[in-house]
Amino acid sequence: MKPKYIFVTGGVLSSLGKGLASASIGALLEARGLSVTLQKFDPYINIDPGTMNPIQHGEVFVTDDGARPTWTWGTTSASTHARLGRDNNFTTGQIYYSVITKERRGDYLGGTVQIIPHITDEIMADFRKVPEVDVVIVEIGGTVGDIESLPFLEAMRQFMWEVGPENAIAIHLTLVPHLGAAGELKTKPTQHSVKMLREIGIQPNIIFCRTDRYLSPEIKAKIALFCNVTPDAVVTGKDVETIYEVPLVLHQEGIDEKITRLLNIWTRRPDLSVWEEIVRRIYQPKAEVEVALVGKYIVLKEAYKSLTEAFVHGGVANETRVRLRWVDAETVEKEGAERHLDGVDGLMVPGGFGIRGIEGKVAAIRFARERGLPFFGICLGMQCAVIEYARNVLGLAGANSSEFDPKTPHPVIDLLPEQHGIADKGGTMRLGSYPCTLSEGSLAHRPTARRTSRSATGTATSSTTPTATNSSPPAWSHRVSIPGAPRRDRRIAGAPLVPRLSVPPGVQIAPLAAHPLFREFVMAARAHREKSSPAAGHAAETHQP
């Protein structure tokens, strides 16, 4: 059976949460027994965000097949069971590159290559690059009215006309602001946004209204009247304190029931018990810990989005609230680690590029090792841990990465052999998954020995697989390695939990099944807190949603 399509667009302004809305809708449809996948079409001309400044664009994810989508796509899609890759994220750059390549190859037989039909046909072909699922949720990036989004919206219009109204629907996200001075909600931005969408030939089936409060029946009726939809098609997207509450709010608004009716799909009643339990654990934790995150891009928290969400998931698994203390690596370099890390229950040093802030990260890692503080190093954090240990434990004065100091007498981190001589930056790193053998009994192996997986119904299940636990295939993104070392975890003594991984968690995060290393790290931080201050570990404030 051919899949049904849900197109998600946005208006008024950016950052309304199209990705989160898409993922939450996907979670609701999965709770009804349907299989889903997600796609995102980004209007920027970059081939992918891999070379974008994290401070400008946020974190870049890496999928098993080496794709590099944006942080919004990767983080929000973790709310579903979909395994995503290259065919789930496309950019204007990719679309145009493909069409121009075909033109140079002569595929168009000398014809005049134009936006319509060639670019739009390419986009529609990408809409169909999906596995066999019941529903495909397609997010169209950008804001209605932007020039760069027009080809995607035109392709969407043509595609919906082609497959018919029972096979594709449009959901439009808008803003309904509350003006404090006037004391009322304003629907005019929504009316104008929908008007612009209708001017290019797209009539939305559902209006998703972002607002800070529930919309009254009168407000919904007014929006429905001016936007040419029924009142039950106007949905409140109310602000909530945790994004994992969004599926529950949308179900309360009836969006999943409306979607199944529009697409003429029969489903069972939704089972949202897993999401209810996640929200309960977030609002009512049994303990609280504080973890310092020492990074170089902390001015934009989205540069570490997968980590912040993975900590939420690790906290849910341990019924523990994780508070992050954001620490600038350059500040540690100037002022010392103790001033900024004193009193924390764990240390996370994440990835990054370039020499800026490196010595601050090394100093922070030394602080954790010497005080027995649970430490977790990822990507550049792992490299800094190797440098710190080589200098301060092995006595290799001047040890460094050849990336930071080409003349170092002890290059404990060096370029991968295949990276020598490569000048281009975009798409030339080692990308995607490959097997990584973990030594049995090591700190990296122990958390994966008991794996937690998500069943088709969304419930968490555990299974022990002793014969398979020493092989871990994460999604990799790096240029460097420890010279002469095999692909095995490196044991470095010093702290209760000291895994170093040259890998970003990326799309391996999921609220329904915490990443094993984050689950264990939060557990170690909680144990450290309870040991250092027995009463503190149970001091979490109970919070009702």
Side-chain angles (χ1 to χ4, degrees), residues 207-272:
I207 312 295
F208 188 118
C209 302
R210 282 298 311 276
T211 181
D212 64 353
R213 62 202 67 204
Y214 284 106
L215 301 181
S216 67
E218 293 76 21
I219 292 291
K220 287 187 175 183
K222 182 178 180 180
I223 293 173
L225 176 64
F226 287 101
C227 296
N228 200 35
V229 297
T230 57
D232 68 334
V234 180
V235 175
T236 300
K238 179 182 173 295
D239 295 345
V240 290
E241 292 190 36
T242 171
I243 62 174
Y244 305 109
E245 194 178 352
V246 174
L248 301 178
V249 172
L250 294 185
H251 174 66
Q252 182 179 330
E253 287 287 295
I255 192 171
D256 48 326
E257 180 69 28
K258 181 69 175 179
I259 288 171
T260 55
R261 289 204 311 268
L262 288 170
L263 292 176
N264 194 25
I265 304 176
W266 181 90
T267 71
R268 68 184 186 213
R269 292 178 62 85
D271 178 6
L272 298 173

Side-chain angles (χ1 to χ4, degrees), residues 441-492:
S442 66
L443 288 172
H445 172 266
R446 188 175 64 195
T448 63
R450 187 167 183 81
R451 299 190 175 198
T452 302
S453 60
R454 291 177 293 167
S455 70
T457 61
T459 57
T461 59
S462 296
S463 61
T464 303
T465 53
T467 59
T469 53
N470 66 336
S471 179
S472 176
W476 300 79
S477 168
H478 58 193
R479 296 185 191 276
V480 299
S481 66
I482 302 176
R487 291 184 200 169
R488 292 183 177 272
D489 61 311
R490 287 85 176 180
R491 300 193 196 189
I492 300 179

Side-chain angles (χ1 to χ4, degrees), residues 469-542:
T469 53
N470 66 336
S471 179
S472 176
W476 300 79
S477 168
H478 58 193
R479 296 185 191 276
V480 299
S481 66
I482 302 176
R487 291 184 200 169
R488 292 183 177 272
D489 61 311
R490 287 85 176 180
R491 300 193 196 189
I492 300 179
L497 185 70
V498 201
R500 278 88 164 168
L501 295 178
S502 184
V503 50
V507 295
Q508 294 188 351
I509 64 172
L512 305 177
H515 191 287
L517 288 173
F518 280 87
R519 183 190 66 225
E520 295 291 317
F521 180 71
V522 173
M523 186 184 301
R526 179 172 171 177
H528 178 274
R529 184 176 183 86
E530 292 174 350
K531 181 180 178 181
S532 59
S533 178
H538 300 279
E541 176 186 355
T542 299

